[in-house]
Amino acid sequence: MSLSENLNNIKNQISNSLKESGRTQNSVKLLAVSKTVGCDKIKEMFELGQRDFGENRPQVLRDKAKELESLPINWHFIGHLQTNKIKYVYPVATLVHSIDRKELLEEFVLWAKKTGKKCPILLEVHISKEEAKQGFDVDEVLDIIKEYQNNEYLDIRGLMGMAPLEATDNKVRACFHELKNLFQKSKSFEGASYKAEILSMGMSGDFPIAISEGATIVRIGSALFKE
């Protein structure tokens, strides 16, 4: 299939999932996860109307953003972030989905003080319970929000989570439902720096379930860029 056919297929699936869930059309943003493709494919997808692209490696994000700087792309960072790699992400990211520990929050405070610019972020929640995945524990994330809800140097837009890769639909749904409930609860802790606006969950294999559970961003890679 061509990239155009892939994109139309995913958009149709998103639209159908929204309709089946009783949600309004255009209430979910498609994030094209471009980590496995080169700038030529990103440019082709951009020409088809896609504007949001996600990368999971800091230096690759920096390099692709530089090569495609003439295009008004919204770059998202979705991978694990080490503190010494923030310098590659902070200047170019529209949104960082993967803030998974307090150390990163404190570093983003320092970067905001240093640059005079706040970088929008999401708090990653460890809903899958898989050892290989990162994130704040379900039991601690609301306390983290309360601690940082009025920090003038942060711009926290919501939550992100990943379901287990090898799991039944019921297990996946349970994970997404848990994150949705946390997201709803977090609204009572909104402050100057925390707004519950974005719920980033769902990938190529499970995004219809994520949409039915309230996702506002779905992160699609292989289903979009497969040949």
Side-chain angles (χ1 to χ4, degrees):
M1 294 178 74
S2 68
L3 290 188
S4 177
E5 290 171 317
N6 291 345
L7 181 60
N8 287 334
N9 183 40
I10 294 297
K11 284 184 173 180
N12 285 336
Q13 288 186 63
I14 290 173
S15 178
N16 290 337
S17 296
L18 287 168
K19 186 182 297 183
E20 290 170 7
S21 304
R23 298 179 57 189
T24 58
Q25 294 296 313
N26 302 316
S27 59
V28 169
K29 177 177 287 184
L30 171 60
L31 174 59
V33 177
S34 49
K35 63 184 183 180
T36 62
V37 301
C39 288
D40 56 334
K41 296 292 186 187
I42 296 173
K43 190 172 183 179
E44 185 178 345
M45 192 66 79
F46 179 89
E47 290 169 352
L48 292 169
Q50 179 62 27
R51 292 294 179 266
D52 292 83
F53 293 85
E55 293 289 331
N56 71 336
R57 294 169 61 192
Q59 287 99 319
V60 174
L61 172 62
R62 173 201 62 188
D63 294 344
K64 287 181 177 178
K66 177 65 175 175
E67 185 170 341
L68 297 170
E69 63 183 350
S70 63
L71 302 180
I73 288 174
N74 300 318
W75 291 105
H76 298 237
F77 185 77
I78 60 173
H80 180 66
L81 185 57
Q82 296 171 291
T83 55
N84 65 336
K85 302 292 180 61
I86 294 175
K87 60 188 175 185
Y88 304 125
V89 171
Y90 201 98
V92 297
T94 301
L95 183 66
V96 176
H97 293 233
S98 48
I99 300 298
D100 58 6
R101 58 200 189 278
K102 283 184 67 172
E103 179 189 20
L104 270 185
L105 285 168
E106 294 296 338
E107 285 293 324
F108 269 62
V109 167
L110 294 177
W111 270 84
K113 290 178 178 178
K114 180 167 61 175
T115 63
K117 166 183 174 262
K118 290 187 279 191
C119 179
I121 59 177
L122 303 178
L123 303 181
E124 181 176 355
V125 186
H126 191 205
I127 55 171
S128 73
K129 311 298 192 292
E130 292 178 309
E131 287 187 13
K133 294 208 170 73
Q134 292 86 26
F136 291 104
D137 288 339
V138 169
D139 295 334
E140 71 170 334
V141 70
L142 293 179
D143 288 333
I144 293 294
I145 291 170
K146 282 188 277 187
E147 184 176 346
Y148 289 94
Q149 66 191 149
N150 289 307
N151 189 300
E152 62 181 305
Y153 297 103
L154 293 175
D155 182 7
I156 311 171
R157 303 282 181 91
L159 305 178
M160 184 273 258
M162 289 181 280
L165 288 176
E166 302 293 332
T168 64
D169 284 355
N170 285 341
K171 174 63 174 174
V172 170
R173 183 175 296 280
C175 288
F176 289 152
H177 190 72
E178 182 174 40
L179 188 59
K180 179 184 71 172
N181 285 342
L182 279 173
F183 182 71
Q184 295 294 344
K185 289 178 182 177
S186 78
K187 291 182 178 181
S188 65
F189 303 120
E190 287 188 332
S193 65
Y194 180 75
K195 296 291 187 291
E197 299 172 347
I198 297 172
L199 183 55
S200 171
M201 60 185 191
M203 299 189 292
S204 291
D206 57 24
F207 71 88
I209 300 175
I211 289 173
S212 71
E213 290 296 334
T216 66
I217 293 181
V218 291
R219 310 180 302 272
I220 313 295
S222 57
L224 265 183
F225 291 103
K226 63 186 178 185
E227 296 295 334

